[in-house]
């Protein structure tokens, strides 16, 4: 196996056209797969020195995050974290200090795991991704980029260049909760992230996404449509939770059964509505 460390996007695009070339970012997913022989590249193309892919910019229009920006660097960017607190919350729960020091945002998305934590916040913020290296650069909504477990919209020779976030609302209430087999350094059994905005006691904007409960991280549009325009009360919480359990399509695996995952997704939606709507927590 060959290895090259490219220093520009031109070099990257040229290298990725070679047969058997695989892009290496932080390696925290790729190395695990290579050790298990799930993937055997003939050429590893390391992008860690491509400065243009590590750039992060924020403006009144939103934010653009280079795909090779590391999770730890994003968490150290106070402007980004203050403007996008939901993104900061999910990134804080991604892996351990060591993993966050290497893992990149682009790697978390391109790896296309149903449990990818960052995808939940990015779906809620309506992120778009830009792809380069093909015949022409293209941008698409994150929901279209994520096509299934380990499947993305990337074509041969293409790479994920950047993640674009629209300007956030200042009055969004963020929520993120991940249920795993332990509290820290855990892959989600089920997770929910969301943003709610209220006016005069009614929900005026709702964004909800769930992880590990479908082939891809998923926006819960049916729950959003249900709650917008409504005041939070016990009846709405119960209906929203039931709607969430119907919106997801989990599988059973070594971590949990499908029915447990479904139930957790509904429960997390209920918890978010209760907290944001100022209701007392449900008694267990
Ligand atoms: C111990 C441990 C704990 C973890 N905990 C979590 C967790 O809590 N939550 C979570 O979501 N994940 C977790 N992960 C998974 C992993 O750390 C993340 O998915 C990470 O963000 C991957 O980024 P990376 O830079 O290391 O990607 P890499 O491993 O370098 O790449 C992953 C895949 O994406 C492709 N790729 C990477 N960048 C690009 C790009 N710019 N364009 C096109 N393709 C690209 C690679 O070719 C490869 O196929 C954990 C992993 C480990 C080992």
């Amino acid at each position: 196996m060959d290895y090259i460390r490219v220093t520009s996007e031109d070099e990257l695009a040229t290298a990725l056209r070679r047969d058997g070339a695989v892009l290496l970012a932080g390696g925290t997913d790729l190395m695990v797969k290579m050790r298990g022989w799930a993937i055997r590249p003939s050429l590893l193309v390391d992008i860690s020195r491509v400065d243009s892919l590590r750039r992060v910019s924020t403006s009144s229009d939103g934010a653009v995050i280079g795909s090779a920006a590391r999770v730890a660097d994003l968490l150290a960017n106070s402007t980004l974290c203050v403007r996008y607190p939901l993104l900061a919350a999910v990134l804080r729960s991604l892996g351990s200090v060591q993993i966050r020091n290497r893992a990149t945002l682009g790697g978390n998305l391109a790896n296309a795991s149903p449990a990818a934590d960052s995808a939940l916040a990015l779906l809620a913020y309506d992120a778009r991704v830009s792809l380069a290296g093909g015949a022409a650069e293209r941008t698409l909504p994150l929901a279209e980029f994520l096509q299934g477990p380990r499947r993305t919209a990337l074509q041969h020779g293409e790479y994920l260049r950047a993640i674009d976030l629209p300007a956030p609302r200042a009055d969004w209430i963020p929520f993120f909760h991940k249920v795993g087999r332990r509290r820290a350094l855990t892959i989600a059994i089920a997770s929910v992230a969301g943003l709610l905005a209220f006016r005069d006691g009614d929900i005026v904007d709702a964004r909800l996404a769930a992880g590990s409960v479908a082939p891809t991280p998923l926006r819960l549009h049916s729950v959003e449509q249900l709650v917008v325009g409504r005041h939070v009360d016990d009846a709405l919480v119960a209906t929203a939770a039931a709607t969430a359990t119907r919106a997801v399509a989990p599988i059973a695996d070594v971590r949990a059964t499908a029915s447990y995952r479904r139930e957790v997704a509904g429960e997390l939606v209920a918890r978010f509505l209760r907290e944001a709507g100022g209701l007392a927590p449900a008694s267990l």
Side-chain angles (χ1 to χ4, degrees):
M1 183 182 68
D2 290 332
Y3 166 90
I4 50 169
R5 191 156 61 197
V6 292
T7 54
S8 71
E9 290 190 55
D10 283 345
E11 283 177 31
L12 170 60
T14 304
L16 284 182
R17 278 184 218 119
R18 285 171 53 182
D19 277 347
V22 172
L23 188 152
L24 169 71
T28 61
D29 278 315
L30 189 57
M31 289 302 155
V32 175
K33 285 189 205 156
M34 286 173 62
R35 281 186 65 183
W37 299 103
I39 180 167
R40 302 180 72 174
S42 56
L43 172 66
L44 276 183
V45 186
D46 182 345
I47 60 167
S48 59
R49 298 283 166 86
V50 183
D51 290 343
S52 61
L53 294 179
R54 295 188 63 178
R55 221 168 272 145
V56 179
S57 64
T58 49
S59 71
S60 54
D61 294 335
V64 181
I65 302 174
S67 63
R70 294 202 173 121
V71 171
D73 293 336
L74 296 176
L75 286 170
N77 183 326
S78 53
T79 310
L80 184 77
C81 292
V82 167
R83 298 201 73 205
Y84 298 94
L86 181 60
L87 180 61
V90 299
L91 294 181
R92 258 183 246 119
S93 90
L94 194 153
S96 59
V97 171
Q98 292 89 338
I99 293 290
R100 291 193 288 275
N101 281 338
R102 289 214 58 87
T104 63
L105 193 62
N108 195 229
L109 299 178
N111 188 55
S113 161
D117 285 324
S118 75
L120 300 191
L122 295 171
L123 284 172
Y125 284 122
D126 274 341
R128 294 177 68 82
V129 291
S130 54
L131 312 183
E137 182 165 348
R138 57 194 181 117
T139 71
L140 60 164
L142 177 59
E144 287 175 27
F145 176 76
L146 300 170
Q147 298 194 337
R150 315 285 169 219
R151 271 196 308 117
T152 68
L154 284 168
Q155 306 282 334
H156 176 71
E158 271 188 321
Y159 60 93
L160 176 54
R161 172 179 275 167
I163 297 101
D164 292 79
L165 296 172
R169 285 178 76 119
D171 59 349
W172 265 328
I173 300 171
F175 173 89
F176 174 62
H177 197 93
K178 166 158 90 167
V179 171
R181 296 186 75 166
R182 55 187 182 203
R183 276 179 184 246
L185 191 50
T186 192
I187 302 291
I189 285 176
S191 51
V192 166
L195 298 161
L196 287 178
F198 288 81
R199 192 174 310 129
D200 302 328
D202 290 340
I203 296 172
V204 289
D205 193 6
R207 317 278 186 90
L208 287 135
S212 290
V213 289
T216 62
L218 187 73
R219 266 289 280 269
L220 300 174
H221 291 294
S222 54
V223 182
E224 296 171 2
Q225 282 156 14
L226 173 81
V227 301
V228 167
R230 306 278 296 275
H231 180 81
V232 179
D233 57 19
D234 289 334
L236 182 69
V237 170
T239 317
T243 305
T245 63
R246 285 194 298 274
V248 300
I251 55 160
D253 64 11
V254 287
R255 287 192 205 98
T257 62
S259 64
Y260 180 69
R261 288 196 151 101
R262 202 181 283 283
E263 206 174 307
V264 171
E267 196 47 49
L268 292 179
V269 166
R271 189 185 295 190
F272 181 21
L273 287 172
R274 285 190 165 282
E275 283 179 15
L279 299 185
S283 53
L284 295 174

